[in-house]
Amino acid sequence: MKKYQMSLLLILSIAVLTAAVTASAALPPVSGAQLILKPVRMEQGKDVRRSYYQVGTAEIKATLAQMGTQIHFTLWEGKQNVFHFSAPASRLGLGSSGAFMSDGHLFFYCNINTRAGWRPPGAPPASGRAVIVGKSPVDGAWRICVDSSDYYNPIPDDFQVYIGSVQHSADHPYIALAFGRELYTDTGRPAVRYRLDYHADTDQFTYEEE
C-alpha cells in the first residue's frame, strides 16, 4: 500500500512538473510593446546635460556634452557607452535630445544646430544635424535610424533643423523632421516638414511631407 502511494505521488509530481514546464514554454516573451518609458531625472552642468530614463527594468542615460567646437550625444546602458554622435556647435544650449516609443520600440532623438535664434548682422549662416537612434532587432546594436542629412532641405545655405514631437490641435502627438530659418524663434516657420512613422515589420521609418 505504501509502495502504491509513493508511485502515485511520483506520477502526480511528474504530471504537475510537466504541466508547469508546458505552461511556461507557452508564455509569450516580453515584447517591446510592454516596455514602459519613464523619465527619471536630469542633471545639468556647465558643459554637460544628462537625462536618465527607466525602460522596463533597465536604466539608460542620454548625455549631451560640449567639447571644443562639437556637441557630443552619447547613450549609456549602465556603465557601458553604447552609442556616440557629434556635430558642430559652439555651446551646449544649441543641442537638445529626448526619447519616445513607437510601435513598441524605444528611440532617442538629438538636435544640434550652430545657431538657435535670429541671425545677427554679419553672422555666418546657420546649419544643423538631427538624428533618431534605435536598437537593431537583429544584433541589438544602437544605430542611426533617421539622419536629417538624408532628407531634402530646400534652404541648405542657411537653416536650422528639428526632430521631435509635434502636435496640431486636432491630432495626437507625432514625430516630425523640419528644416527652416529662425526655426527656434516665435515667428519661425518650417520651409519643409516630414512626418515620420516607424514600422516594426520592416524596421524602418517612412516619411510624408506635410
Side-chain angles (χ1 to χ4, degrees):
M1 182 68 176
K2 215 178 257 188
K3 187 188 252 186
Y4 172 77
Q5 288 177 336
M6 289 180 63
S7 299
L8 183 60
L9 183 61
L10 181 61
I11 292 170
L12 287 173
S13 299
I14 293 173
V16 170
L17 181 60
T18 304
V21 171
T22 304
S24 175
L27 290 175
V30 176
S31 68
Q34 294 169 295
L35 290 177
I36 297 177
L37 172 65
K38 180 183 177 183
V40 178
R41 67 186 186 278
M42 180 182 289
E43 298 172 351
Q44 176 73 54
K46 180 183 177 183
D47 296 318
V48 65
R49 185 186 311 131
R50 303 180 186 92
S51 301
Y52 295 82
Y53 298 87
Q54 192 76 31
V55 185
T57 58
E59 184 175 80
I60 298 180
K61 177 177 66 176
T63 299
L64 285 169
Q66 179 72 46
M67 299 176 66
T69 59
Q70 301 264 325
I71 288 180
H72 295 258
F73 173 67
T74 53
L75 293 177
W76 300 77
E77 292 181 337
K79 295 183 178 181
Q80 184 179 4
N81 180 201
V82 294
F83 178 80
H84 172 262
F85 163 78
S86 66
S90 60
R91 56 186 174 84
L92 185 62
L94 295 171
S96 62
S97 66
F100 66 95
M101 299 290 296
S102 182
D103 208 358
H105 291 257
L106 171 67
F107 297 95
F108 289 86
Y109 61 85
C110 174
N111 301 288
I112 300 175
N113 288 278
T114 59
R115 189 180 67 247
W118 297 99
R119 182 179 182 182
S127 63
R129 193 170 169 199
V131 295
I132 292 177
V133 180
K135 183 177 282 191
S136 168
V138 177
D139 59 11
W142 290 92
R143 83 291 192 216
I144 293 176
C145 303
V146 173
D147 189 333
S148 62
S149 63
D150 294 332
Y151 289 75
Y152 172 67
N153 174 11
I155 49 170
D157 296 332
D158 183 17
F159 71 94
Q160 294 160 7
V161 64
Y162 169 82
I163 280 182
S165 180
V166 171
Q167 182 172 11
H168 296 306
S169 57
D171 292 337
H172 294 295
Y174 61 92
I175 301 299
L177 162 67
F179 298 95
R181 292 193 176 97
E182 283 73 52
L183 197 57
Y184 290 84
T185 64
D186 293 339
T187 57
R189 294 290 181 270
V192 65
R193 184 165 62 198
Y194 302 101
R195 179 171 181 150
L196 303 173
D197 292 294
Y198 175 72
H199 302 276
D201 55 341
T202 58
D203 186 36
Q204 289 184 335
F205 279 86
T206 57
Y207 70 92
E208 180 181 352
E209 184 176 343
E210 296 186 321

